[in-house]
Amino acid sequence: MTASPNLFLSLFRFKAWSQAELYTLLGQELSRLPDDAQREIMRLLCHIHVVDRIFQSHLTGTAHGFAAPNFPEIPPLDQLRPKVAELDQWYVDYVDQLPADRLTERIAFVFTDAQRGNMSREEILMHVLQHGGYHRGSIGRMLVEHGIAPPRETFTQFLHEREPQRRTQA
């Protein structure tokens, strides 16, 4: 991977990497947690995914079909994981192909609570990034509380893992 002039492309690649790291860890460690912590982590993972899907629909101008910002029933980790990876790749491809002059284009939509919204494409993309990071941080905190070290989710680690030459260019 070479450095991209498109910051959104790097950030969405980072998001996909972060989520893959978290899902890998949870695949190994989720069962060690108390039932209530497992349920809360799965609820948050599903919420991240559903919000990502809702905003994907806003970006594409399609109906998302969600009445709430989560699934009515939470699927198991192994069923959610491939859906998350597929959507993460969609966002990487979307920002890779999005012309820069469309970033400021405004999109009107309706939230799941029936309130109207209006955001630019770049605001939607930032929301998707920030929203997921916020909730992954909450999951990390829960893991720590139960003696499990969360993945190191830092942009610098991602960049240096993907492009080790950055360490020697300093």
Side-chain angles (χ1 to χ4, degrees), residues 12-158:
F12 275 95
R13 285 177 174 158
F14 167 65
K15 178 183 185 292
W17 173 83
S18 297
Q19 296 207 134
E21 293 283 305
L22 180 59
Y23 275 80
T24 296
L25 175 73
L26 291 173
Q28 299 163 356
E29 303 289 347
L30 189 64
S31 64
R32 289 185 43 208
L33 298 170
D35 289 347
D36 62 333
Q38 288 183 45
R39 279 190 301 276
E40 181 61 11
I41 287 171
M42 288 307 303
R43 186 191 69 76
L44 286 170
L45 290 173
C46 288
H47 172 66
I48 294 167
H49 180 66
V50 168
V51 168
D52 286 359
R53 284 181 53 187
I54 289 170
F55 280 95
Q56 174 195 35
S57 293
H58 297 331
L59 289 167
T60 60
T62 58
H64 54 72
F66 289 99
N70 215 329
F71 291 118
E73 292 189 31
I74 305 300
L77 187 72
D78 63 337
Q79 288 180 18
L80 183 61
R81 185 178 190 165
K83 293 176 184 178
V84 168
E86 180 182 346
L87 186 55
D88 283 342
Q89 187 59 53
W90 180 89
Y91 272 103
V92 168
D93 295 342
Y94 177 81
V95 298
D96 189 32
Q97 298 168 13
L98 183 66
D101 63 347
R102 293 198 60 207
L103 284 169
T104 57
E105 185 178 277
R106 300 198 70 75
I107 298 172
F109 55 87
V110 178
F111 288 101
T112 57
D113 65 1
Q115 296 292 314
R116 295 186 183 280
N118 186 307
M119 297 168 75
S120 68
R121 288 185 189 279
E122 66 187 345
E123 289 169 338
I124 289 172
L125 294 171
M126 277 307 299
H127 173 71
V128 168
L129 291 166
Q130 292 297 111
H131 176 262
Y134 174 81
H135 288 304
R136 285 191 308 276
S138 296
I139 292 168
R141 186 78 233 136
M142 281 189 272
L143 292 171
V144 167
E145 289 171 3
H146 294 286
I148 299 171
R152 282 190 59 209
E153 183 182 321
T154 65
F155 190 52
T156 55
Q157 179 173 343
F158 165 75

